[in-house]
Amino acid sequence: MSASVLRDHLIWAMVHAFDEGKGIEAQSLLNELKGLGPEQAAWQPPGTGPSIWTSLNHVAVWEEKILKLTRGERVDFNSAWPQPDEITQQAWKNDVEHLKAIHAKLIAHLNTLSDGDLTQQVLNDDSHDFDWAMAYTGLVVHMAYHTGQIRMLKLLQGVEEE
């Protein structure tokens, strides 16, 4: 595989936005989830708004959509905020591990792409015009946005940093 500056930058961004201990100016997603119990993750603010858990599941849905595109599958770009099936430690752990597994598969896919590949259009349908670099950049921005929301939900609950 030839050197790919763009790919290396996208991998760096994906890792630093996601992996524990990798955040630079802000916490990574896994850092924000560290130490949370299922009740804290399922807590919703008064009024409307997602819980930490539904935000995690929402990020997983979008990462799954891009993973499907890597396999040449068509995807529906409608948003989804899946609720947890049950509020237990095991269910929380399973959903976090599910997201980690999807993320690892995306990093593996990204590692196979050259700069030329990254500028190739992602084939889905005529209504969405983007290339692989845009898809991965979108995942990083999306993850960072929801990591910030998760941070605020923790603050609203009075969850202390470790």
Side-chain angles (χ1 to χ4, degrees):
M1 170 93 23
S2 63
S4 172
V5 173
L6 179 57
R7 180 193 65 226
D8 293 346
H9 286 172
L10 288 169
I11 290 171
W12 181 91
M14 291 279 289
V15 166
H16 284 78
F18 187 79
D19 287 356
E20 193 172 316
K22 298 291 184 175
I24 294 177
E25 289 296 321
Q27 294 285 7
S28 68
L29 179 61
L30 291 182
N31 275 106
E32 289 297 345
L33 300 177
K34 187 177 178 182
L36 287 176
E39 291 78 20
Q40 293 166 319
W43 179 85
Q44 289 184 267
T48 62
S51 68
I52 291 170
W53 204 327
T54 55
S55 294
L56 168 100
N57 289 341
H58 174 74
V59 170
V61 163
W62 280 95
E63 290 214 352
E64 285 175 324
K65 289 176 188 285
I66 300 303
L67 188 58
K68 285 180 180 180
L69 290 172
T70 70
R71 298 188 297 251
E73 298 174 31
R74 295 210 179 267
V75 299
D76 174 355
F77 285 103
N78 291 323
S79 195
W81 295 84
Q83 297 292 321
D85 293 329
E86 58 182 350
I87 310 300
T88 65
Q89 185 63 39
Q90 190 59 52
W92 171 239
K93 180 182 175 190
N94 290 347
D95 283 350
V96 171
E97 292 303 316
H98 175 70
L99 177 58
K100 286 180 181 179
I102 297 164
H103 196 78
K105 289 176 184 175
L106 287 170
I107 295 291
H109 174 258
L110 190 49
N111 259 312
T112 69
L113 301 178
S114 68
D115 279 354
D117 295 333
L118 287 163
T119 59
Q120 293 298 310
Q121 291 302 113
V122 175
L123 301 176
N124 189 60
D125 62 38
D126 293 333
S127 65
H128 294 89
D129 183 27
F130 57 92
D131 61 30
W132 285 111
M134 294 164 125
Y136 280 102
T137 301
L139 286 178
V140 171
V141 171
H142 185 248
M143 189 182 328
Y145 174 80
H146 289 296
T147 299
Q149 285 184 324
I150 289 168
R151 177 75 182 125
M152 293 305 299
L153 289 167
K154 286 172 61 177
L155 290 172
L156 287 170
Q157 291 181 74
V159 174
E160 298 294 323
E161 292 298 308
E162 294 184 4

